[in-house]
Amino acid sequence: LRTFSAAIAACAAGNAVLAIVGIVVDLSPVLRPFWTPDGEDSVADLAAELGRLGGVFNQPVEAGLAYGIGGICAVYVWRERPVLLAALLAIITVGGLLSVSKAFILGALPFVLAYWLWSQRGHRRIVTVLAALLALLGVLQSGLVERWVGLDYLTRLLDPSGGLLDFYSAGRFADRSTFSVVVDAALAHSPLVGVGPGGWAVAYDGAVAEALVVAGVLGLALYAATIAGMLTLIRTGAEEG
């Protein structure tokens, strides 16, 4: 598990380096085969126009989730080496910010930072904070921030327009959105057990909608119980470690 986690963390950091290099060098000819087959238009191309750089990942949310998992894996493997861990998390965090993924910035990043601080004891916690501050200072002094065209897109997260839920969910909970339409249809058709594993040929736009379609309210309850069980295992494993 430690070897696998180390590989995931290293790959996340490596992908972040690709995104950082992408600020000053156009890497799209090299990365496009990862995004889409046969040179078709990709989400990554459109995102790059806004300054959202995800490395080998086509969807910013995919990049954000990968960085979040990579950050957790890094803390798990290198929590006894605070300076190395701070450097890796700084690189991974920069990658997550460059993707402007709300899944990372608003979801994974707080968990990674909390797990990082919680995993440290005594003087290592002080070293952790100092190393994090030095890493942040290094990023600010590098000049990359000024050259990144996506800075305005990132800062707009601090000034949401419209309703907060509508803005931060990218319209998923807006009236007649794809998500709300699927949820309403699933609850109207077969609310308790859903329509079965075949599902519907629609965009679920989220695990909640998919669970409701496939297995109804019972399936959604089982899905929630599974997530709760995973969190319990993580906590137990961290305490034993």
Side-chain angles (χ1 to χ4, degrees), residues 46-173:
L46 299 176
E49 296 177 2
L50 301 173
R52 306 179 70 181
L53 306 174
V56 300
F57 294 99
N58 182 40
Q59 301 271 356
V61 65
E62 295 172 345
L65 293 174
Y67 289 131
I69 295 171
I72 292 173
C73 288
V75 176
Y76 172 72
V77 175
W78 291 294
R79 57 182 178 270
E80 304 295 333
R81 303 179 63 182
V83 176
L84 173 62
L85 179 57
L88 281 173
L89 289 184
I91 295 172
I92 290 173
T93 300
V94 170
L97 294 177
L98 290 178
S99 70
V100 197
S101 166
K102 292 188 289 294
F104 176 79
I105 298 171
L106 304 179
L109 182 58
F111 282 100
V112 172
L113 295 178
Y115 180 32
W116 183 20
L117 289 176
W118 180 83
S119 68
Q120 304 301 298
R121 296 291 185 273
H123 70 280
R124 287 207 306 269
R125 181 166 293 183
I126 298 176
V127 174
T128 293
V129 175
L130 291 176
L133 292 175
L134 287 175
L136 176 61
L137 181 62
V139 172
L140 295 177
Q141 292 295 323
S142 66
L144 290 174
V145 175
E146 291 78 6
R147 302 187 63 173
W148 180 40
V149 299
L151 182 60
D152 291 339
Y153 195 85
L154 174 63
T155 54
R156 68 188 283 270
L157 295 179
L158 302 176
D159 185 25
S161 58
L164 292 178
L165 186 61
D166 186 11
F167 179 83
Y168 288 118
S169 68
R172 287 175 175 82
F173 297 104

Side-chain angles (χ1 to χ4, degrees), residues 9-37:
C11 288
N15 191 72
V17 170
L18 285 177
I20 294 170
V21 173
I23 297 177
V24 295
V25 179
D26 182 14
L27 297 178
S28 58
V30 178
L31 298 177
R32 188 164 288 110
F34 291 96
W35 300 339
T36 182

Side-chain angles (χ1 to χ4, degrees), residues 171-173 176-184 203-209:
R172 287 175 175 82
F173 297 104
R176 305 306 297 170
S177 67
T178 302
F179 178 86
S180 62
V181 168
V182 172
V183 169
D184 290 344
Y204 295 122
D205 210 8
V208 172

